[in-house]
Amino acid sequence: MWRGRGTALRVIWLPFLISTVAYEAYYRAFPSGIALPVTVLEFLVFSWAAVGWHRAALLDEAPGPAGTRHGGPVPRYAFGWFISGLAAGILGMMLFLVVYLGLTRLLGVVVFMPMPGLPEVLLSPMAYLSTAFWVLPLGIGCMWLVIYLFFHFARALPALAIRKDGRWNEAQRGARRRWFASAAAWSLLLWLLAAALYYGTYNALLEWDDRLWEAGQDGAPLWAFSLLDAAFNVVYAINVLIGASVLTVAFRRSASVAPENDAGQAE
């Protein structure tokens, strides 16, 4: 991706800007609102970026200053991205729960299931670490599996982006799986580092906010929290392009395009 950083910048800057401004505006207007409207918008704008990256890499199609001009595949791409992520997430969560409940029963550890405080638990994933030492590696392993399965389920998205039929070379299946496994590990490492920095900085801001209120001053400025959210969105945008690059490389190495089914010319 680094070699194509100029293309990456052209396809990602506007989706990143739209996502960041929409997120900030929505939560300033509805501090306790649900994230559904912003989430849908993010799927669409970052799918637009991913489509632009695929088309640039696979068709040598230079994007415009504000990204690709071919928006036709974007809604289907966003839907495919969502379904792939949902399926991978459900399977990963099911595996985590099965292994977690099985080991707690086998080892005689008290199962951590605080149903009345469920929202609090969701906001603090680290709460599960108080149960047993093996929960952390289990959780990391399941997160790796989710990313791997996402790549596997989403492998046809590049063909959708360029609006051509792809034919997979079954002889390359093992190489493709190894590529996805390696890419999932590096992607997970990036997310873990980003999440650790985010939660550490966020907790520091909350402590600063509490100290200011206790001293009779205004709380921490909103711009500090907004800057933190924007920084995390930068990481998300980079990971979108990394994921698109992973899928592009897999498609290029292990699939062939059927020119007679080309639908992109009518766009």
Side-chain angles (χ1 to χ4, degrees):
M1 192 183 79
W2 177 251
R3 285 179 297 179
R5 57 189 179 275
T7 298
L9 184 61
R10 287 197 296 273
V11 300
I12 201 65
W13 76 267
L14 187 55
F16 165 77
L17 182 62
I18 293 172
S19 170
T20 302
V21 171
Y23 181 91
E24 185 66 19
Y26 181 82
Y27 281 105
R28 288 286 183 96
F30 309 100
S32 58
I34 60 174
L36 182 60
V38 179
T39 301
V40 171
L41 178 63
E42 285 189 341
F43 266 108
L44 289 172
V45 296
F46 283 119
S47 292
W48 177 32
V51 166
W53 177 261
H54 291 312
R55 296 184 70 90
L58 296 173
L59 301 178
D60 292 325
E61 180 184 280
T68 181
R69 296 177 294 275
H70 297 273
V74 169
R76 289 180 61 198
Y77 190 101
F79 182 72
W81 178 7
F82 170 75
I83 293 299
S84 299
L86 180 64
I90 289 174
L91 290 174
M93 181 60 71
M94 288 175 60
L95 177 64
F96 176 85
L97 291 175
V98 168
V99 176
Y100 179 78
L101 295 175
L103 286 177
T104 51
R105 185 176 182 83
L106 180 65
L107 300 176
V109 181
V110 177
V111 180
F112 184 72
M113 297 290 282
M115 296 306 292
L118 186 59
E120 243 178 69
V121 173
L122 292 177
L123 290 175
S124 180
M126 302 298 288
Y128 277 96
L129 300 184
S130 62
T131 56
F133 69 91
W134 45 263
V135 176
L136 179 59
L138 173 62
I140 291 176
C142 288
M143 285 189 287
W144 171 85
L145 178 63
V146 168
I147 299 173
Y148 170 83
L149 288 174
F150 170 77
F151 287 145
H152 176 72
F153 294 149
R155 65 189 184 277
L157 288 181
L160 180 61
I162 63 175
R163 305 187 74 172
K164 295 178 183 287
D165 290 338
R167 296 173 181 171
W168 294 97
N169 183 354
E170 292 304 315
Q172 296 294 324
R173 181 186 300 178
R176 185 170 65 244
R177 289 175 175 172
R178 290 190 294 272
W179 168 244
F180 286 161
S182 173
W186 285 106
S187 181
L188 176 61
L189 178 61
L190 174 61
W191 275 120
L192 290 175
L193 291 173
L197 287 172
Y198 179 86
Y199 277 108
T201 307
Y202 185 73
N203 287 331
L205 285 175
L206 289 180
E207 291 177 5
W208 179 36
D209 186 69
D210 289 340
R211 288 196 301 269
L212 289 175
W213 283 111
E214 289 172 1
Q217 305 176 33
D218 290 336
L222 287 177
W223 63 260
F225 292 95
S226 300
L227 186 61
L228 177 61
D229 290 335
F232 193 77
N233 209 24
V234 169
V235 176
Y236 183 78
I238 292 173
N239 224 0
V240 167
L241 289 180
I242 291 174
S245 299
V246 169
L247 295 176
T248 298
V249 170
F251 185 82
R252 181 182 285 153
R253 290 177 178 175
S254 59
S256 58
V257 172
E260 65 273 12
N261 291 331
D262 183 9
Q265 304 302 321
E267 211 176 356

